[in-house]
Amino acid sequence: MLVNWSLEGKVAIVTGASRGGIGETYAQALSEAGAAVVCADINAEGAATVAKDIEASGGRALALTVDIADEASVQAMVDTVVDRYGGIDILVNNAALMAQLVTSTAMDFTREAWDRAFAVNVTGSWLCAKAVVPSMQARGGGRIVNQASAGAFPAESVYGITKLGVVGLTTTLARELGPLGIAVNCIAPGITASEAGKMLTPEDGEFRQMIEQRAALRAQGERSELCGALLLFCSPAGSWITGQVLNVDGGWVLRP
């Protein structure tokens, strides 16, 4: 087999894996590829629903409650996964604040709101990565996939600023963790048919119309259309890729 997409025997954590979002679809895709999937979210009920759906489809899943901005909560999540499955191979840093960060200008943000944005969207991904590295190193390597956004190129909101921070985290960790056999990459979605995406970019809105005119293919994609990039970064098929940001946005952002 020239290209191997299988994740059989792997253990994956997906943060923000609650019902109705991109994290749910990521968790389902990793399960279909053979991984045992941990659905981690601050919304315990939403994560439990996704895990039950995966198990009902014949997969292996565990729901855990986590606040990624809280170091103790993140470490407790990782400890539970290691106790349950013996280790961690894949981390998908999907959890983030979004709707709360695009309705106000940067100048209108309070210091408290600014700090919370970075605590979740940047520090949270760093804390999760830091916590899983010892287990990945013990298993001979691993994969970390961060989630940025087309809205970071260029950043025109506090949300975009935090997602540029995630890009910087990706390239920094790729350099530092490469010698340990850990690849770190980033997906930057465009407008996606998730609950948050539909709320923030209604079809009759000015922003949506602007993207309709700009996108090379089409303005909106399905959540499932992000999974090709995810599986590339997580599977043996992408074993020689690290430190990269892949825009999956229908050609909203065009980069050489």
Side-chain angles (χ1 to χ4, degrees), residues 141-172:
R143 308 294 177 86
I144 297 174
V145 181
N146 296 322
Q147 186 94 319
S149 170
F153 308 104
E156 296 181 355
S157 66
V158 173
Y159 176 72
I161 296 169
T162 65
K163 289 304 183 178
L164 275 178
V166 170
V167 171
L169 178 67
T170 299
T171 54
T172 297

Side-chain angles (χ1 to χ4, degrees), residues 130-229:
K130 190 175 182 180
V132 302
V133 164
S135 178
M136 289 185 178
Q137 184 177 7
R139 288 163 80 88
R143 308 294 177 86
I144 297 174
V145 181
N146 296 322
Q147 186 94 319
S149 170
F153 308 104
E156 296 181 355
S157 66
V158 173
Y159 176 72
I161 296 169
T162 65
K163 289 304 183 178
L164 275 178
V166 170
V167 171
L169 178 67
T170 299
T171 54
T172 297
L173 293 184
R175 182 69 70 189
E176 292 184 3
L177 301 180
L180 304 180
I182 299 172
V184 187
N185 291 291
C186 187
I187 298 172
I191 299 173
T192 308
S194 64
E195 292 181 0
K198 292 175 183 178
M199 178 181 67
L200 293 172
T201 58
E203 293 186 6
D204 58 351
E206 291 183 7
F207 179 77
R208 176 64 174 272
Q209 292 173 6
M210 182 270 287
I211 300 301
E212 291 279 2
Q213 295 176 353
R214 181 175 177 80
L217 287 177
R218 50 189 159 84
Q220 179 173 289
E222 299 299 322
R223 289 180 285 168
S224 60
E225 292 180 290
L226 300 171
C227 294

